[in-house]
Every structure is written in C-alpha cells, then in structure tokens.
Amino acid sequence: MTRTILITGSTDGIGLLTAEKLAAQGHRVLLHGRNAAKLDAAAAQTDGQTETYLADLSDMASVRQLAADIRKNHDRLDVLINNAGVLKSPDPVLADGTDIRFVVNTFAPYLLTELLLPVMPPEGRVVNLSSAAQAAVNTDAMAGGARLSDMDAYAQSKLAITIWTREWARMLPDGPAMIAVNPGSLLATNMVKEGFGIAGNDLSIGADVLIDAATGARFEGATGQYFDNDSGAFAEPHSAAADPSHASAVMQVIRKYADSHR
C-alpha cells in the first residue's frame, strides 16, 4: 500500500534517512525543513515521489501555513512523523517568552497534528519523537515563566509530547493512532554531535523503528503507547506521565498555547 507520509525535520539525520527509505519503498514522502537550500538538497538526495514544504516550527503562523499547504495539496495524509526537534539554540527564548524546546518539540507538533487530523484516516498514524531523556514538566517554565537548562528543557519537552500522545489516544479511540517513540539514544544526529560532542550510533537504528511505527504491523493497535527502542519494546515512559494531575496540568498549558496561536 502506497502511503502519503509527512516527516518534519527531514533535511538531515534520522528524518532524512527515514524519508529516503520510505521513498525507496514507494511511499509518497512530504519533506519538511526550515532551510530552503537544505530542503532542496534533501529532495535531490531522496529518490521517489517527494514534495517539499518550507516552515519554521518555532513560528506558529508558519505551522498553520504548513498545515494549510499540505491540506491544499492532499485530501489524505496517512502518516505524520513529528520528528523535528531542538536541544540547543543560540537564542532559546523566543519573542513571546517561551522556550524554543517546548515550542518546537511539543507545541508545534500538537498544533500541526490538530490541523492535519481532518485529512487523516482512522487507520492513519501519528508518530511522535520522544526520547529516553524525559523529566517531569515544570509547567511554569513550559508557559514561559521560568528558565531551564538546555537538557532540562529538552527532557521536559519530550515527556510533554509523550503525555499529549497518550491523552489524544484516549480522546481518539477510533484513530488515527497516536504513538510515541524513543528512536534510540545517542544516534549520529547533528543534535547529538552538537549537544554531546560524540559521533553517535548508526542512524538506521532510529530510521528503521520510525518506519516500523509508521507502517509496520507491530504497531497496529499501539495507540497511546510508548516504544523504547533502546530496549526494543513497548515500555512505560517517565512515571510523571501516569500522574493524572501532572498530565492534566501539562495538557492545560499545551491547549492554552495552541488556542492562542490557532
């Protein structure tokens, strides 16, 4: 079955390799990036049916335009892989006072998913990039009222996207499926090289599990679950995700942010 698949952050790293492999399998791959030159290069490197979409996920107006452009060109999107992410930034605090890690890693994929749901079939899948690095969320910092270190902001943003994955799975029991995936720790991405100063592990570790989550039988019926590729199994995320009051507080901040930028 040929699927139409959007991969955010698909100009390098896991996103690009995932795009290349999915396109080689015959799927129609919608490439996203925030740099036009890198986006063109990714398209040239990816054989098969591809389209390119330019958008800055730290800008909610750009997120809305991305969704509008995709819905203009497609009346069906089978899979959304929310892959784009930020660990370090020279300017981590955006003009509205929010941390870029929460905006790009949590808020933008939430809003993008919401805007694309009308063209996703019940059997579709949303694959959200989580991480082994997860931490209970400081909702004041998430809302822009406090500052965090790079790693704290990243880990909290990754638990937050895992929480909304679970919450939306409960609200959408008939699909599309919402699945959170840790693609593997310390893979050879630019994020890992810049953040930790190491070469990292084989990117195929991450790309292959994302392809499985997007199209594989193992992930049928997996809505609301978290897959930890370090252990190669479905697992429980950070314990704070199972705390109803914590999850509710996180969802309140996410919904308020989305509502103010819709």
Side-chain angles (χ1 to χ4, degrees), residues 14 80-83 125-134 154 158 161-163 165 178-185 187 205-214 218-219 222 224-230 232-235 237:
I14 298 172
L80 167 58
I81 302 177
N82 284 309
N83 167 72
R125 299 183 191 181
V126 176
V127 180
N128 287 333
L129 269 285
S130 184
S131 172
Q134 299 175 10
Y154 179 80
K158 288 301 183 180
I161 194 172
T162 306
I163 285 172
T165 303
M178 302 278 170
I179 305 163
V181 176
N182 163 32
S185 296
L187 303 182
I205 295 169
D208 290 345
V209 76
L210 293 186
I211 292 168
D212 197 9
R218 176 167 55 155
F219 285 82
Q225 295 196 48
Y226 165 69
F227 188 86
D228 174 28
N229 204 31
D230 289 333
F234 292 100

mmCIF file of all heavy atoms in Angstrom, residues 14 80-83 125-134 154 158 161-163 165 178-185 187 205-214 218-219 222 224-230 232-235 237:
data_model
loop_
_atom_site.group_PDB
_atom_site.id
_atom_site.type_symbol
_atom_site.label_atom_id
_atom_site.label_comp_id
_atom_site.label_asym_id
_atom_site.label_seq_id
_atom_site.Cartn_x
_atom_site.Cartn_y
_atom_site.Cartn_z
ATOM 1 N N ILE A 14 18.021 11.519 11.285
ATOM 2 C CA ILE A 14 17.042 10.435 11.245
ATOM 3 C C ILE A 14 15.923 10.754 10.265
ATOM 4 O O ILE A 14 15.455 9.887 9.531
ATOM 5 C CB ILE A 14 16.454 10.184 12.642
ATOM 6 C CG1 ILE A 14 17.545 9.759 13.626
ATOM 7 C CG2 ILE A 14 15.379 9.104 12.583
ATOM 8 C CD1 ILE A 14 17.062 9.693 15.069
ATOM 9 N N LEU A 80 1.826 10.998 9.834
ATOM 10 C CA LEU A 80 2.576 12.193 10.226
ATOM 11 C C LEU A 80 3.647 11.761 11.210
ATOM 12 O O LEU A 80 3.331 11.178 12.257
ATOM 13 C CB LEU A 80 1.639 13.219 10.868
ATOM 14 C CG LEU A 80 2.295 14.388 11.605
ATOM 15 C CD1 LEU A 80 3.210 15.196 10.700
ATOM 16 C CD2 LEU A 80 1.227 15.286 12.240
ATOM 17 N N ILE A 81 4.898 12.005 10.863
ATOM 18 C CA ILE A 81 6.008 11.730 11.779
ATOM 19 C C ILE A 81 6.535 13.068 12.284
ATOM 20 O O ILE A 81 7.167 13.824 11.547
ATOM 21 C CB ILE A 81 7.136 10.931 11.091
ATOM 22 C CG1 ILE A 81 6.595 9.606 10.536
ATOM 23 C CG2 ILE A 81 8.278 10.671 12.078
ATOM 24 C CD1 ILE A 81 7.634 8.776 9.781
ATOM 25 N N ASN A 82 6.231 13.363 13.547
ATOM 26 C CA ASN A 82 6.698 14.603 14.168
ATOM 27 C C ASN A 82 8.122 14.377 14.678
ATOM 28 O O ASN A 82 8.344 14.026 15.840
ATOM 29 C CB ASN A 82 5.753 15.015 15.302
ATOM 30 C CG ASN A 82 4.462 15.610 14.792
ATOM 31 O OD1 ASN A 82 4.474 16.525 13.967
ATOM 32 N ND2 ASN A 82 3.337 15.091 15.261
ATOM 33 N N ASN A 83 9.072 14.581 13.768
ATOM 34 C CA ASN A 83 10.477 14.261 14.030
ATOM 35 C C ASN A 83 11.307 15.484 14.430
ATOM 36 O O ASN A 83 12.277 15.347 15.166
ATOM 37 C CB ASN A 83 11.079 13.621 12.774
ATOM 38 C CG ASN A 83 12.585 13.550 12.818
ATOM 39 O OD1 ASN A 83 13.171 12.769 13.561
ATOM 40 N ND2 ASN A 83 13.241 14.396 12.014
ATOM 41 N N ARG A 125 -1.620 7.068 11.169
ATOM 42 C CA ARG A 125 -0.782 7.056 12.370
ATOM 43 C C ARG A 125 -0.051 8.390 12.530
ATOM 44 O O ARG A 125 0.444 8.953 11.551
ATOM 45 C CB ARG A 125 0.256 5.928 12.301
ATOM 46 C CG ARG A 125 -0.337 4.540 12.215
ATOM 47 C CD ARG A 125 0.731 3.453 12.212
ATOM 48 N NE ARG A 125 0.157 2.142 11.874
ATOM 49 C CZ ARG A 125 0.846 1.015 11.807
ATOM 50 N NH1 ARG A 125 2.153 1.024 12.047
ATOM 51 N NH2 ARG A 125 0.253 -0.127 11.495
ATOM 52 N N VAL A 126 0.017 8.840 13.767
ATOM 53 C CA VAL A 126 0.868 9.968 14.148
ATOM 54 C C VAL A 126 1.984 9.405 15.006
ATOM 55 O O VAL A 126 1.723 8.790 16.049
ATOM 56 C CB VAL A 126 0.076 11.039 14.932
ATOM 57 C CG1 VAL A 126 1.009 12.148 15.405
ATOM 58 C CG2 VAL A 126 -1.049 11.606 14.074
ATOM 59 N N VAL A 127 3.209 9.571 14.551
ATOM 60 C CA VAL A 127 4.385 9.049 15.265
ATOM 61 C C VAL A 127 5.137 10.235 15.846
ATOM 62 O O VAL A 127 5.655 11.080 15.104
ATOM 63 C CB VAL A 127 5.295 8.234 14.324
ATOM 64 C CG1 VAL A 127 6.514 7.711 15.081
ATOM 65 C CG2 VAL A 127 4.516 7.083 13.682
ATOM 66 N N ASN A 128 5.178 10.310 17.151
ATOM 67 C CA ASN A 128 5.820 11.429 17.838
ATOM 68 C C ASN A 128 7.179 11.017 18.389
ATOM 69 O O ASN A 128 7.290 9.999 19.088
ATOM 70 C CB ASN A 128 4.937 11.928 18.983
ATOM 71 C CG ASN A 128 3.728 12.695 18.485
ATOM 72 O OD1 ASN A 128 3.762 13.287 17.410
ATOM 73 N ND2 ASN A 128 2.648 12.686 19.257
ATOM 74 N N LEU A 129 8.190 11.825 18.097
ATOM 75 C CA LEU A 129 9.540 11.538 18.584
ATOM 76 C C LEU A 129 9.649 11.914 20.052
ATOM 77 O O LEU A 129 9.605 13.089 20.420
ATOM 78 C CB LEU A 129 10.578 12.303 17.765
ATOM 79 C CG LEU A 129 11.160 11.586 16.553
ATOM 80 C CD1 LEU A 129 12.151 10.524 16.940
ATOM 81 C CD2 LEU A 129 10.066 11.012 15.674
ATOM 82 N N SER A 130 9.783 10.894 20.871
ATOM 83 C CA SER A 130 10.053 11.081 22.281
ATOM 84 C C SER A 130 11.556 10.873 22.490
ATOM 85 O O SER A 130 12.346 11.038 21.557
ATOM 86 C CB SER A 130 9.208 10.124 23.112
ATOM 87 O OG SER A 130 9.384 10.346 24.490
ATOM 88 N N SER A 131 11.945 10.474 23.663
ATOM 89 C CA SER A 131 13.361 10.307 23.966
ATOM 90 C C SER A 131 13.502 9.510 25.251
ATOM 91 O O SER A 131 12.577 9.478 26.078
ATOM 92 C CB SER A 131 14.021 11.687 24.140
ATOM 93 O OG SER A 131 15.344 11.571 24.613
ATOM 94 N N ALA A 132 14.653 8.880 25.418
ATOM 95 C CA ALA A 132 14.955 8.269 26.709
ATOM 96 C C ALA A 132 15.146 9.347 27.768
ATOM 97 O O ALA A 132 14.964 9.100 28.963
ATOM 98 C CB ALA A 132 16.216 7.416 26.599
ATOM 99 N N ALA A 133 15.516 10.549 27.324
ATOM 100 C CA ALA A 133 15.658 11.692 28.225
ATOM 101 C C ALA A 133 14.279 12.301 28.451
ATOM 102 O O ALA A 133 13.746 13.007 27.605
ATOM 103 C CB ALA A 133 16.600 12.724 27.625
ATOM 104 N N GLN A 134 13.671 11.975 29.580
ATOM 105 C CA GLN A 134 12.372 12.514 29.957
ATOM 106 C C GLN A 134 12.450 12.998 31.400
ATOM 107 O O GLN A 134 13.156 12.412 32.223
ATOM 108 C CB GLN A 134 11.269 11.458 29.841
ATOM 109 C CG GLN A 134 11.071 10.901 28.451
ATOM 110 C CD GLN A 134 10.051 9.761 28.435
ATOM 111 O OE1 GLN A 134 9.362 9.506 29.421
ATOM 112 N NE2 GLN A 134 9.976 9.071 27.314
ATOM 113 N N TYR A 154 14.852 20.200 27.188
ATOM 114 C CA TYR A 154 14.681 19.130 26.202
ATOM 115 C C TYR A 154 13.956 17.938 26.815
ATOM 116 O O TYR A 154 12.973 17.428 26.243
ATOM 117 C CB TYR A 154 16.049 18.702 25.662
ATOM 118 C CG TYR A 154 15.981 17.589 24.650
ATOM 119 C CD1 TYR A 154 15.658 17.848 23.319
ATOM 120 C CD2 TYR A 154 16.234 16.263 25.019
ATOM 121 C CE1 TYR A 154 15.588 16.824 22.382
ATOM 122 C CE2 TYR A 154 16.160 15.235 24.091
ATOM 123 C CZ TYR A 154 15.841 15.525 22.775
ATOM 124 O OH TYR A 154 15.761 14.503 21.862
ATOM 125 N N LYS A 158 10.150 16.489 25.906
ATOM 126 C CA LYS A 158 9.942 15.144 25.385
ATOM 127 C C LYS A 158 8.936 14.358 26.229
ATOM 128 O O LYS A 158 8.182 13.535 25.699
ATOM 129 C CB LYS A 158 11.273 14.395 25.280
ATOM 130 C CG LYS A 158 12.163 14.911 24.158
ATOM 131 C CD LYS A 158 11.467 14.798 22.801
ATOM 132 C CE LYS A 158 12.329 15.237 21.650
ATOM 133 N NZ LYS A 158 11.644 15.120 20.341
ATOM 134 N N ILE A 161 5.483 15.833 25.042
ATOM 135 C CA ILE A 161 4.926 15.288 23.802
ATOM 136 C C ILE A 161 4.443 13.849 24.022
ATOM 137 O O ILE A 161 3.446 13.421 23.421
ATOM 138 C CB ILE A 161 5.925 15.373 22.629
ATOM 139 C CG1 ILE A 161 5.196 15.120 21.286
ATOM 140 C CG2 ILE A 161 7.094 14.429 22.786
ATOM 141 C CD1 ILE A 161 6.048 15.368 20.061
ATOM 142 N N THR A 162 5.097 13.124 24.914
ATOM 143 C CA THR A 162 4.643 11.775 25.247
ATOM 144 C C THR A 162 3.306 11.829 25.974
ATOM 145 O O THR A 162 2.413 11.003 25.719
ATOM 146 C CB THR A 162 5.702 11.066 26.106
ATOM 147 O OG1 THR A 162 6.965 11.108 25.422
ATOM 148 C CG2 THR A 162 5.327 9.621 26.371
ATOM 149 N N ILE A 163 3.143 12.806 26.840
ATOM 150 C CA ILE A 163 1.874 12.967 27.559
ATOM 151 C C ILE A 163 0.743 13.293 26.598
ATOM 152 O O ILE A 163 -0.337 12.700 26.657
ATOM 153 C CB ILE A 163 2.009 14.047 28.654
ATOM 154 C CG1 ILE A 163 2.811 13.490 29.830
ATOM 155 C CG2 ILE A 163 0.631 14.534 29.125
ATOM 156 C CD1 ILE A 163 3.174 14.516 30.889
ATOM 157 N N THR A 165 0.559 12.618 23.483
ATOM 158 C CA THR A 165 0.322 11.425 22.676
ATOM 159 C C THR A 165 -0.678 10.511 23.378
ATOM 160 O O THR A 165 -1.647 10.036 22.771
ATOM 161 C CB THR A 165 1.638 10.652 22.449
ATOM 162 O OG1 THR A 165 2.606 11.513 21.838
ATOM 163 C CG2 THR A 165 1.419 9.435 21.571
ATOM 164 N N MET A 178 -2.005 7.279 17.801
ATOM 165 C CA MET A 178 -1.013 8.214 18.329
ATOM 166 C C MET A 178 0.048 7.395 19.057
ATOM 167 O O MET A 178 -0.251 6.717 20.046
ATOM 168 C CB MET A 178 -1.667 9.203 19.293
ATOM 169 C CG MET A 178 -2.792 10.015 18.696
ATOM 170 S SD MET A 178 -2.151 11.434 17.766
ATOM 171 C CE MET A 178 -3.662 11.994 16.957
ATOM 172 N N ILE A 179 1.278 7.457 18.579
ATOM 173 C CA ILE A 179 2.341 6.596 19.099
ATOM 174 C C ILE A 179 3.577 7.441 19.400
ATOM 175 O O ILE A 179 4.014 8.233 18.566
ATOM 176 C CB ILE A 179 2.710 5.508 18.073
ATOM 177 C CG1 ILE A 179 1.477 4.704 17.657
ATOM 178 C CG2 ILE A 179 3.801 4.593 18.614
ATOM 179 C CD1 ILE A 179 1.660 3.908 16.383
ATOM 180 N N ALA A 180 4.136 7.271 20.586
ATOM 181 C CA ALA A 180 5.381 7.957 20.960
ATOM 182 C C ALA A 180 6.537 6.965 20.870
ATOM 183 O O ALA A 180 6.415 5.820 21.309
ATOM 184 C CB ALA A 180 5.287 8.527 22.376
ATOM 185 N N VAL A 181 7.647 7.419 20.307
ATOM 186 C CA VAL A 181 8.785 6.525 20.072
ATOM 187 C C VAL A 181 10.083 7.191 20.501
ATOM 188 O O VAL A 181 10.383 8.313 20.081
ATOM 189 C CB VAL A 181 8.892 6.143 18.573
ATOM 190 C CG1 VAL A 181 10.135 5.286 18.327
ATOM 191 C CG2 VAL A 181 7.643 5.412 18.103
ATOM 192 N N ASN A 182 10.839 6.506 21.330
ATOM 193 C CA ASN A 182 12.239 6.857 21.533
ATOM 194 C C ASN A 182 13.019 6.124 20.457
ATOM 195 O O ASN A 182 13.140 4.900 20.505
ATOM 196 C CB ASN A 182 12.727 6.428 22.919
ATOM 197 C CG ASN A 182 14.256 6.400 23.004
ATOM 198 O OD1 ASN A 182 14.934 7.195 22.357
ATOM 199 N ND2 ASN A 182 14.786 5.476 23.800
ATOM 200 N N PRO A 183 13.571 6.828 19.453
ATOM 201 C CA PRO A 183 14.201 6.137 18.326
ATOM 202 C C PRO A 183 15.533 5.488 18.660
ATOM 203 O O PRO A 183 16.052 4.707 17.863
ATOM 204 C CB PRO A 183 14.383 7.256 17.302
ATOM 205 C CG PRO A 183 14.516 8.488 18.130
ATOM 206 C CD PRO A 183 13.590 8.282 19.299
ATOM 207 N N GLY A 184 16.057 5.800 19.839
ATOM 208 C CA GLY A 184 17.354 5.262 20.229
ATOM 209 C C GLY A 184 18.224 6.362 20.794
ATOM 210 O O GLY A 184 18.195 7.499 20.309
ATOM 211 N N SER A 185 18.978 6.050 21.796
ATOM 212 C CA SER A 185 19.801 7.061 22.456
ATOM 213 C C SER A 185 21.104 7.307 21.705
ATOM 214 O O SER A 185 21.717 6.376 21.169
ATOM 215 C CB SER A 185 20.112 6.631 23.886
ATOM 216 O OG SER A 185 18.930 6.562 24.653
ATOM 217 N N LEU A 187 22.097 8.676 18.858
ATOM 218 C CA LEU A 187 22.292 8.363 17.451
ATOM 219 C C LEU A 187 23.083 9.477 16.777
ATOM 220 O O LEU A 187 23.214 10.578 17.314
ATOM 221 C CB LEU A 187 20.938 8.159 16.765
ATOM 222 C CG LEU A 187 20.047 7.068 17.372
ATOM 223 C CD1 LEU A 187 18.753 6.936 16.584
ATOM 224 C CD2 LEU A 187 20.772 5.722 17.442
ATOM 225 N N ILE A 205 19.307 2.773 13.116
ATOM 226 C CA ILE A 205 18.617 2.290 14.324
ATOM 227 C C ILE A 205 17.336 3.086 14.525
ATOM 228 O O ILE A 205 16.264 2.524 14.809
ATOM 229 C CB ILE A 205 19.534 2.408 15.557
ATOM 230 C CG1 ILE A 205 20.747 1.485 15.430
ATOM 231 C CG2 ILE A 205 18.760 2.127 16.846
ATOM 232 C CD1 ILE A 205 21.828 1.733 16.470
ATOM 233 N N GLY A 206 17.448 4.391 14.376
ATOM 234 C CA GLY A 206 16.283 5.250 14.545
ATOM 235 C C GLY A 206 15.353 5.242 13.350
ATOM 236 O O GLY A 206 14.126 5.176 13.500
ATOM 237 N N ALA A 207 15.921 5.314 12.146
ATOM 238 C CA ALA A 207 15.087 5.356 10.946
ATOM 239 C C ALA A 207 14.238 4.102 10.814
ATOM 240 O O ALA A 207 13.042 4.172 10.480
ATOM 241 C CB ALA A 207 15.959 5.545 9.706
ATOM 242 N N ASP A 208 14.825 2.951 11.096
ATOM 243 C CA ASP A 208 14.090 1.693 10.921
ATOM 244 C C ASP A 208 12.923 1.572 11.890
ATOM 245 O O ASP A 208 11.851 1.068 11.526
ATOM 246 C CB ASP A 208 15.042 0.502 11.070
ATOM 247 C CG ASP A 208 16.016 0.379 9.909
ATOM 248 O OD1 ASP A 208 15.788 1.027 8.864
ATOM 249 O OD2 ASP A 208 17.016 -0.356 10.053
ATOM 250 N N VAL A 209 13.094 2.050 13.120
ATOM 251 C CA VAL A 209 11.972 1.946 14.060
ATOM 252 C C VAL A 209 10.879 2.959 13.718
ATOM 253 O O VAL A 209 9.689 2.685 13.913
ATOM 254 C CB VAL A 209 12.446 2.087 15.524
ATOM 255 C CG1 VAL A 209 12.760 3.544 15.878
ATOM 256 C CG2 VAL A 209 11.374 1.531 16.472
ATOM 257 N N LEU A 210 11.248 4.106 13.165
ATOM 258 C CA LEU A 210 10.226 5.065 12.746
ATOM 259 C C LEU A 210 9.414 4.518 11.577
ATOM 260 O O LEU A 210 8.194 4.711 11.507
ATOM 261 C CB LEU A 210 10.864 6.403 12.376
ATOM 262 C CG LEU A 210 11.502 7.192 13.517
ATOM 263 C CD1 LEU A 210 11.953 8.568 13.023
ATOM 264 C CD2 LEU A 210 10.555 7.343 14.696
ATOM 265 N N ILE A 211 10.078 3.843 10.658
ATOM 266 C CA ILE A 211 9.373 3.223 9.536
ATOM 267 C C ILE A 211 8.435 2.133 10.047
ATOM 268 O O ILE A 211 7.282 2.017 9.592
ATOM 269 C CB ILE A 211 10.387 2.665 8.520
ATOM 270 C CG1 ILE A 211 11.132 3.815 7.843
ATOM 271 C CG2 ILE A 211 9.690 1.790 7.481
ATOM 272 C CD1 ILE A 211 12.348 3.385 7.053
ATOM 273 N N ASP A 212 8.894 1.359 11.005
ATOM 274 C CA ASP A 212 8.056 0.319 11.595
ATOM 275 C C ASP A 212 6.844 0.943 12.285
ATOM 276 O O ASP A 212 5.702 0.480 12.122
ATOM 277 C CB ASP A 212 8.885 -0.492 12.591
ATOM 278 C CG ASP A 212 8.252 -1.822 12.958
ATOM 279 O OD1 ASP A 212 7.255 -2.218 12.318
ATOM 280 O OD2 ASP A 212 8.741 -2.472 13.893
ATOM 281 N N ALA A 213 7.082 2.021 13.045
ATOM 282 C CA ALA A 213 5.978 2.684 13.744
ATOM 283 C C ALA A 213 4.981 3.292 12.756
ATOM 284 O O ALA A 213 3.778 3.319 13.010
ATOM 285 C CB ALA A 213 6.524 3.766 14.665
ATOM 286 N N ALA A 214 5.482 3.753 11.625
ATOM 287 C CA ALA A 214 4.630 4.405 10.631
ATOM 288 C C ALA A 214 3.844 3.420 9.791
ATOM 289 O O ALA A 214 2.698 3.706 9.392
ATOM 290 C CB ALA A 214 5.489 5.285 9.719
ATOM 291 N N ARG A 218 3.621 -4.426 13.681
ATOM 292 C CA ARG A 218 3.887 -4.479 15.124
ATOM 293 C C ARG A 218 3.225 -3.324 15.860
ATOM 294 O O ARG A 218 2.898 -3.430 17.049
ATOM 295 C CB ARG A 218 5.411 -4.457 15.350
ATOM 296 C CG ARG A 218 5.810 -4.412 16.807
ATOM 297 C CD ARG A 218 7.267 -4.693 17.042
ATOM 298 N NE ARG A 218 8.179 -3.844 16.314
ATOM 299 C CZ ARG A 218 9.434 -3.592 16.715
ATOM 300 N NH1 ARG A 218 9.890 -4.141 17.826
ATOM 301 N NH2 ARG A 218 10.228 -2.838 15.999
ATOM 302 N N PHE A 219 2.991 -2.219 15.152
ATOM 303 C CA PHE A 219 2.439 -1.027 15.797
ATOM 304 C C PHE A 219 0.933 -0.865 15.562
ATOM 305 O O PHE A 219 0.355 0.133 15.957
ATOM 306 C CB PHE A 219 3.195 0.219 15.327
ATOM 307 C CG PHE A 219 4.557 0.343 15.955
ATOM 308 C CD1 PHE A 219 5.641 -0.353 15.438
ATOM 309 C CD2 PHE A 219 4.747 1.123 17.081
ATOM 310 C CE1 PHE A 219 6.900 -0.253 16.017
ATOM 311 C CE2 PHE A 219 5.993 1.225 17.674
ATOM 312 C CZ PHE A 219 7.077 0.539 17.147
ATOM 313 N N ALA A 222 -1.379 0.070 18.630
ATOM 314 C CA ALA A 222 -0.440 0.597 19.630
ATOM 315 C C ALA A 222 -0.744 2.033 20.032
ATOM 316 O O ALA A 222 0.086 2.693 20.635
ATOM 317 C CB ALA A 222 0.996 0.516 19.100
ATOM 318 N N GLY A 224 -1.488 5.306 21.843
ATOM 319 C CA GLY A 224 -1.290 5.692 23.227
ATOM 320 C C GLY A 224 -0.080 5.071 23.892
ATOM 321 O O GLY A 224 0.235 5.384 25.042
ATOM 322 N N GLN A 225 0.633 4.226 23.162
ATOM 323 C CA GLN A 225 1.775 3.552 23.763
ATOM 324 C C GLN A 225 3.087 4.279 23.473
ATOM 325 O O GLN A 225 3.188 5.088 22.547
ATOM 326 C CB GLN A 225 1.844 2.108 23.273
ATOM 327 C CG GLN A 225 0.657 1.253 23.718
ATOM 328 C CD GLN A 225 0.926 -0.229 23.564
ATOM 329 O OE1 GLN A 225 1.979 -0.731 23.981
ATOM 330 N NE2 GLN A 225 -0.011 -0.941 22.955
ATOM 331 N N TYR A 226 4.061 3.962 24.299
ATOM 332 C CA TYR A 226 5.422 4.497 24.162
ATOM 333 C C TYR A 226 6.352 3.330 23.848
ATOM 334 O O TYR A 226 6.378 2.330 24.575
ATOM 335 C CB TYR A 226 5.839 5.192 25.459
ATOM 336 C CG TYR A 226 7.323 5.477 25.586
ATOM 337 C CD1 TYR A 226 7.942 6.421 24.775
ATOM 338 C CD2 TYR A 226 8.103 4.795 26.521
ATOM 339 C CE1 TYR A 226 9.307 6.687 24.894
ATOM 340 C CE2 TYR A 226 9.460 5.048 26.652
ATOM 341 C CZ TYR A 226 10.055 5.992 25.831
ATOM 342 O OH TYR A 226 11.404 6.240 25.945
ATOM 343 N N PHE A 227 7.094 3.466 22.740
ATOM 344 C CA PHE A 227 8.035 2.419 22.351
ATOM 345 C C PHE A 227 9.449 2.907 22.628
ATOM 346 O O PHE A 227 9.867 3.955 22.135
ATOM 347 C CB PHE A 227 7.887 2.063 20.872
ATOM 348 C CG PHE A 227 8.708 0.867 20.470
ATOM 349 C CD1 PHE A 227 8.205 -0.413 20.619
ATOM 350 C CD2 PHE A 227 9.994 1.013 19.958
ATOM 351 C CE1 PHE A 227 8.959 -1.535 20.263
ATOM 352 C CE2 PHE A 227 10.754 -0.088 19.604
ATOM 353 C CZ PHE A 227 10.239 -1.369 19.759
ATOM 354 N N ASP A 228 10.169 2.121 23.420
ATOM 355 C CA ASP A 228 11.549 2.455 23.777
ATOM 356 C C ASP A 228 12.494 1.614 22.930
ATOM 357 O O ASP A 228 12.656 0.415 23.180
ATOM 358 C CB ASP A 228 11.777 2.189 25.263
ATOM 359 C CG ASP A 228 13.232 2.382 25.660
ATOM 360 O OD1 ASP A 228 13.933 3.180 25.002
ATOM 361 O OD2 ASP A 228 13.678 1.720 26.622
ATOM 362 N N ASN A 229 13.108 2.233 21.926
ATOM 363 C CA ASN A 229 13.966 1.466 21.019
ATOM 364 C C ASN A 229 15.291 1.069 21.659
ATOM 365 O O ASN A 229 15.999 0.222 21.118
ATOM 366 C CB ASN A 229 14.218 2.257 19.731
ATOM 367 C CG ASN A 229 14.578 1.354 18.567
ATOM 368 O OD1 ASN A 229 14.127 0.210 18.499
ATOM 369 N ND2 ASN A 229 15.377 1.859 17.641
ATOM 370 N N ASP A 230 15.631 1.650 22.794
ATOM 371 C CA ASP A 230 16.830 1.199 23.496
ATOM 372 C C ASP A 230 16.639 -0.223 24.027
ATOM 373 O O ASP A 230 17.568 -1.029 24.041
ATOM 374 C CB ASP A 230 17.171 2.136 24.652
ATOM 375 C CG ASP A 230 17.685 3.482 24.172
ATOM 376 O OD1 ASP A 230 18.246 3.550 23.060
ATOM 377 O OD2 ASP A 230 17.525 4.487 24.909
ATOM 378 N N GLY A 232 14.016 -2.077 22.774
ATOM 379 C CA GLY A 232 13.359 -2.792 21.694
ATOM 380 C C GLY A 232 11.968 -3.270 22.049
ATOM 381 O O GLY A 232 11.503 -4.297 21.526
ATOM 382 N N ALA A 233 11.281 -2.519 22.926
ATOM 383 C CA ALA A 233 9.967 -2.979 23.385
ATOM 384 C C ALA A 233 9.095 -1.796 23.795
ATOM 385 O O ALA A 233 9.596 -0.700 24.081
ATOM 386 C CB ALA A 233 10.141 -3.919 24.572
ATOM 387 N N PHE A 234 7.797 -2.035 23.824
ATOM 388 C CA PHE A 234 6.895 -1.056 24.411
ATOM 389 C C PHE A 234 7.189 -0.979 25.903
ATOM 390 O O PHE A 234 7.475 -1.994 26.550
ATOM 391 C CB PHE A 234 5.437 -1.442 24.164
ATOM 392 C CG PHE A 234 5.035 -1.352 22.718
ATOM 393 C CD1 PHE A 234 4.982 -2.489 21.925
ATOM 394 C CD2 PHE A 234 4.732 -0.118 22.139
ATOM 395 C CE1 PHE A 234 4.626 -2.416 20.578
ATOM 396 C CE2 PHE A 234 4.375 -0.035 20.799
ATOM 397 C CZ PHE A 234 4.326 -1.178 20.018
ATOM 398 N N ALA A 235 7.131 0.230 26.436
ATOM 399 C CA ALA A 235 7.528 0.428 27.827
ATOM 400 C C ALA A 235 6.702 1.556 28.430
ATOM 401 O O ALA A 235 5.934 2.232 27.742
ATOM 402 C CB ALA A 235 9.019 0.762 27.903
ATOM 403 N N PRO A 237 6.663 5.262 29.964
ATOM 404 C CA PRO A 237 7.508 6.462 29.988
ATOM 405 C C PRO A 237 7.785 6.884 31.426
ATOM 406 O O PRO A 237 7.441 6.147 32.372
ATOM 407 C CB PRO A 237 6.642 7.491 29.255
ATOM 408 C CG PRO A 237 5.233 7.055 29.519
ATOM 409 C CD PRO A 237 5.278 5.550 29.573
#
